[in-house]
């Protein structure tokens, strides 16, 4: 009787289209203070960003994962006073609505959208009009935040 055994610890697949068990492509950011904008929302404070996919800054915020795949984008955008729509922009072109916030100050909910991205694609979130978004600490009830997670292959 013969016995064959294999040990594959720390094995990483070389194909960038495949998610290996030890690959985590995810980021989570939030607003550290209230922000009024009609352009990209600058989620300026990092909770985590495993691959450095996010560039922060007023008017330049973007997420560029660098690896093609299916991504889950979760947005919690809270306005103190007005209704708004929030859109995902892909490569500076409006791609899809992700959130509709009706006039109900400090309502707290999250919206999720799935999007396919190539390695060179980038996304950002923009409101349909100038809006004040609530910021603060991550443990506050109404802090606006975003997370982007790779959930599958392109």
């Amino acid at each position: 009787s013969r016995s064959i055994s294999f040990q594959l610890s720390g094995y990483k697949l070389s194909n960038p289209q495949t998610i290996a068990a030890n690959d985590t492509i995810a980021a989570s950011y939030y607003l550290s203070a209230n922000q009024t904008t009609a352009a990209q929302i600058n989620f300026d404070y990092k909770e985590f960003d495993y691959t450095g996919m996010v560039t922060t800054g007023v008017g330049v915020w973007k997420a560029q994962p660098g690896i093609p795949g299916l991504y889950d984008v979760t947005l919690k955008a809270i306005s103190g006073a007005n209704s708004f729509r929030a859109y995902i922009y892909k490569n500076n072109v409006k791609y899809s609505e992700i959130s509709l916030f009706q006039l109900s100050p400090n309502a707290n909910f999250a919206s999720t959208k799935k999007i396919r991205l190539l390695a060179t694609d980038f996304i950002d979130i923009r409101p349909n009009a100038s809006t004040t978004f609530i910021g603060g600490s991550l443990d506050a009830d109404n802090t606006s935040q975003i997370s982007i997670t790779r959930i599958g292959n392109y």
Side-chain angles (χ1 to χ4, degrees):
S1 159
R2 292 185 178 169
S3 166
I4 299 174
S5 65
F6 295 96
Q7 185 175 2
L8 296 173
S9 63
Y11 181 75
K12 182 173 175 144
L13 299 173
S14 61
N15 180 349
Q17 293 286 340
T18 306
I19 298 174
N22 59 349
D23 288 343
T24 300
I25 302 167
S28 178
Y29 284 74
Y30 62 94
L31 293 180
S32 62
N34 289 1
Q35 179 186 135
T36 301
T37 187
Q40 294 103 325
I41 302 172
N42 179 28
F43 297 96
D44 62 332
Y45 202 84
K46 175 172 59 175
E47 180 184 12
F48 58 84
D49 188 345
Y50 291 105
T51 59
M53 76 168 81
V54 172
T55 300
T56 62
V58 175
V60 298
W61 191 97
K62 69 178 180 179
Q64 185 174 12
I67 301 210
L70 179 65
Y71 287 83
D72 183 82
V73 179
T74 301
L75 174 71
K76 183 173 89 169
I78 309 299
S79 172
N82 57 321
S83 299
F84 68 91
R85 292 178 186 273
Y87 298 97
I88 295 176
Y89 275 66
K90 179 179 175 181
N91 302 324
N92 285 323
V93 176
K94 186 171 22 172
Y95 176 79
S96 177
E97 181 180 81
I98 187 170
S99 181
L100 169 61
F101 184 87
Q102 295 294 338
L103 185 59
S104 177
N106 298 317
N108 189 338
F109 66 94
S111 304
T112 300
K113 182 78 176 173
K114 293 181 179 39
I115 184 170
R116 290 174 53 174
L117 297 172
L118 295 171
T120 57
D121 289 338
F122 61 91
I123 61 169
D124 62 76
I125 306 296
R126 303 179 197 183
N128 63 315
S130 184
T131 304
T132 299
F133 296 97
I134 295 176
S137 62
L138 191 57
D139 63 347
D141 292 337
N142 290 321
T143 299
S144 298
Q145 60 191 84
I146 188 168
S147 67
I148 302 126
T149 306
R150 186 169 186 240
I151 58 171
N153 300 329
Y154 189 84

